[in-house]
Amino acid sequence: ASGDHVPALVIGSGYGGAVAALRLTRAGVDTHIVEMGQSWTTPGSDGKIFCDMLNPDGRSSWLRTKTDQPVGYFLGFPANKSISKYTGVLDSESFAATRVYQGRGVGGGSLVNGGMAVTPRRAYFEEVLPSVDSGEMYATYFPRANAGLGVNTIDQAWFETTDCYQYARVSRMRANNAGFTTTFLPNVYDFDYMKREAANQVPRSALASEVIYGNNYGKRSLDKTYLAAAAATGRLTISTLHTVTSLAPAPGGGYTVEMVQIDTSGRTVATKAVTADRVFCAAGSVGTSKLLVSMKAQGKLPNLPSAVGEGWGNNGNVMVARAGLDLTGALQSGMPAMGIDNWADPNGPVFAEIAPFPAGTELWINLYLAITKNPNRARFTFNSTTGKVDLSWQASQTQPSIDAAKRVFDAINSKAGTIYRTDLFGVYKTWGDDFVYHPLGGCVLGQATDDYGRVPGYTGLYVVDGSLIPGSIGVNPFVTITALAERNMEKIIATDLH
Ligand code: FDA
């Protein structure tokens, strides 16, 4: 309630926020999370908490009247559907030249993502975050993150025979034929549960076209792992449908945090101000960067370093599809389990997840999300005319990602005698290059913060999420975000809280 005082306030409940909440509460600190999305615990009239990809309703999207699917077209026709405006689980936040997909709700991105839990290559981690002791990361914090997240691996014998990974097997075969290496990807989706889905022993989720709008079963999202463990301490409270709008030093020490409460139609129902001794920014790369950039511009946190808002990248994301000759299967698991690993290529590293196209019918589509080593970066700036935060990313900055991915998929197409689909991302448009699943950076470790996420000049203010990672990590990012948060929180609790 307005006027309350809390020892620790965490803004956002994604990976960074969930780690902060668990480590603070375990250290005996009463902790309050402020989360703009809702708690995904109550079933709708159909008995399900989340809707699937084939029949999206208001639950799918954050306050939109039409879905904004990543694959927005089919046969060149718009594929989006009208929905009722609701605080749904997937947001697509539009900037001048890109749309950033993000999860909204208790659990953040873990609610909507594909669950791929990939530890980065050590050499690339060291290149991206040279100030972090990689020996410690790979011995302690990556294993801790993988355990806390509930990461598991697929039974490879089952993978080879199950209908639901036919799409991955044919993409592997075509990649291998063209000389590329493929690799299995760990996941937080319970692969034993998936096996039982395939055997019709349990309700289906990954095998019922569920991903990106949430999974009703099988997925170990943060509300079931880190956040559940934090709640079990009895020291965690969460305000949902509350968006932090302002943050400034409080007269008596600590910070004044202002927020608006909305209802599920997006209408403001209250504004509140509380004070907190410590504030942990975990609103994600975009959310944390936007908040801190506007607080600096509005004079509420005037001494923030000039690096705040800098160093944003899209992890080299670009999507593409091939029109195959191979049967990819009517039944496709929504959880990817295999990738093409061409990262060692000096002409343009590519790590491409073999993505499902779970339409429930045979479509002969091979879809990929490529992660490339794109050197381009952008910055967030406050726009005093609109009162909003702009992102400077330009369409042309995606070109290095397209060039790298094109080398791989041209080679695969040429060997297989196949062509690109040009009907899925627009009309005669090959590349899904105007959206991102992996926003990273904006408050880079060692630049906008010290080497542990402490904000210089503001005692008790921390950044703990994906905004710490400078724009690229070479694989799907949540394991790295989690492990870095584990490392930083251990240091902060040991040195700042005692
Ligand atoms: P995250 O975005 O998770 O959490 C931030 C939270 O803060 C959100 O809950 C948000 O609602 C809240 N918030 C924001 N602003 C706020 C404010 N002002 N006040 C209060 N709350 C606020 N990664 C991966 O490793 N493997 C994968 O398979 C995938 N797949 C994938 C698919 C899709 C569709 C998407 C959109 C993303 C992925 N990702 C992924 C990316 C991954 O989900 C992402 O990198 C992490 O969720 C980022 O974690 P953070 O903790 O940085 O923020």
Side-chain angles (χ1 to χ4, degrees):
S2 220
D4 282 357
H5 173 96
V6 292
L9 186 142
V10 179
I11 306 171
S13 61
Y15 293 90
V19 172
L22 177 61
R23 298 308 165 197
L24 288 165
T25 53
R26 286 249 174 108
V29 181
D30 288 333
T31 302
H32 191 79
I33 293 181
V34 180
E35 167 56 53
M36 67 189 273
Q38 64 183 57
S39 166
W40 289 92
T41 45
T42 313
S45 54
D46 58 356
K48 296 206 162 165
I49 292 172
F50 299 106
C51 62
D52 64 38
M53 281 178 79
L54 302 181
N55 306 289
D57 57 32
R59 290 172 290 183
S60 68
S61 311
W62 180 254
L63 300 174
R64 299 180 63 87
T65 52
K66 202 173 210 191
T67 59
D68 181 20
Q69 297 176 178
V71 176
Y73 294 79
F74 187 69
L75 302 174
F77 291 102
N80 285 305
K81 298 193 173 115
S82 293
I83 50 171
S84 54
K85 193 175 165 193
Y86 183 70
T87 46
V89 72
L90 183 65
D91 195 0
S92 66
E93 194 170 354
S94 282
F95 293 97
T98 191
R99 286 132 60 220
V100 186
Y101 283 97
Q102 295 154 91
R104 298 281 178 237
V106 176
S110 77
L111 298 166
V112 298
N113 67 34
M116 279 164 287
V118 190
T119 299
R121 293 158 204 82
R122 183 159 171 171
Y124 193 56
F125 178 87
E126 289 169 352
E127 186 180 324
V128 171
L129 288 166
S131 71
V132 176
D133 180 343
S134 66
E136 246 178 37
M137 288 297 294
Y138 284 77
T140 304
Y141 303 110
F142 278 117
R144 186 177 294 173
N146 277 291
L149 293 166
V151 175
N152 69 158
T153 52
I154 196 165
D155 170 349
Q156 295 188 9
W158 182 68
F159 172 88
E160 297 302 340
T161 55
T162 181
D163 288 350
C164 69
Y165 283 116
Q166 165 84 6
Y167 74 95
R169 293 194 301 269
V170 299
S171 274
R172 174 182 61 184
M173 181 263 290
R174 293 302 176 187
N176 292 164
N177 284 353
F180 297 106
T181 305
T182 47
T183 181
F184 283 99
L185 305 177
N187 203 295
V188 296
Y189 196 92
D190 181 345
F191 281 119
D192 282 331
Y193 188 88
M194 198 189 294
K195 264 189 187 173
R196 285 183 277 139
E197 290 178 52
N200 286 315
Q201 292 164 353
V202 290
R204 288 183 166 187
S205 178
L207 302 197
S209 301
E210 289 182 3
V211 61
I212 87 168
Y213 299 144
N215 283 87
N216 285 299
Y217 311 99
K219 196 198 218 179
R220 296 165 181 149
S221 46
L222 291 166
D223 50 324
K224 310 216 167 47
T225 58
Y226 273 93
L227 293 168
T233 65
R235 293 190 179 276
L236 180 68
T237 47
I238 307 183
S239 291
T240 55
L241 296 173
H242 282 64
T243 305
V244 171
T245 52
S246 168
L247 173 64
Y255 294 88
T256 302
V257 181
E258 291 174 13
M259 58 197 85
V260 298
Q261 181 182 6
I262 58 173
D263 64 17
T264 55
S265 70
R267 209 170 48 91
T268 298
V269 293
T271 58
K272 301 176 183 175
V274 301
T275 54
D277 298 334
R278 293 170 201 284
V279 173
F280 294 83
C281 296
S285 162
V286 173
T288 293
S289 302
K290 281 197 317 187
L291 182 64
L292 294 185
V293 160
S294 24
M295 292 306 97
K296 183 175 165 73
Q298 292 170 21
K300 296 192 173 174
L301 295 171
N303 302 326
L304 286 177
S306 56
V308 165
E310 299 283 334
W312 186 85
N314 63 8
N315 205 22
N317 278 186
V318 65
M319 238 190 199
V320 70
R322 296 172 40 246
L325 300 168
D326 309 305
L327 291 170
T328 50
L331 177 67
Q332 301 196 5
S333 170
M335 297 292 130
M338 181 156 280
I340 301 170
D341 187 355
N342 192 42
W343 197 262
D345 185 347
N347 295 320
V350 177
F351 179 72
E353 131 200 359
I354 297 170
F357 200 97
T361 177
E362 177 62 58
L363 289 174
W364 297 273
I365 292 175
N366 298 99
L367 184 66
Y368 307 88
L369 172 65
I371 296 169
T372 65
K373 189 178 174 182
N374 186 329
N376 290 322
R377 297 291 177 267
R379 69 169 54 91
F380 292 95
T381 49
F382 185 72
N383 182 330
S384 54
T385 310
T386 59
K388 292 188 171 163
V389 174
D390 296 333
L391 177 61
S392 70
W393 186 264
Q394 316 251 306
S396 59
Q397 291 184 280
T398 313
Q399 197 60 44
S401 301
I402 295 176
D403 294 344
K406 190 170 186 303
R407 268 191 294 275
V408 169
F409 294 106
D410 277 2
I412 293 175
N413 274 335
S414 147
K415 193 77 187 177
T418 50
I419 55 169
Y420 292 108
R421 297 280 302 214
T422 58
D423 62 322
L424 300 178
F425 301 106
V427 182
Y428 297 115
K429 183 166 164 53
T430 302
W431 300 97
D433 57 359
D434 54 1
F435 60 87
V436 40
Y437 280 2
H438 301 164
L440 292 171
C443 299
V444 171
L445 190 81
Q447 298 176 26
T449 72
D450 78 353
D451 271 335
Y452 291 91
R454 301 180 184 100
V455 180
Y458 292 99
T459 306
L461 182 61
Y462 306 91
V463 174
V464 288
D465 57 21
S467 59
L468 293 172
I469 297 171
S472 166
I473 196 62
V475 293
N476 316 66
F478 74 61
V479 172
T480 308
I481 295 170
T482 306
L484 197 60
E486 287 281 20
R487 166 194 179 266
N488 295 350
M489 287 307 300
E490 186 170 281
K491 181 69 151 198
I492 289 162
I493 286 168
T495 59
D496 298 10
L497 264 62
H498 292 108

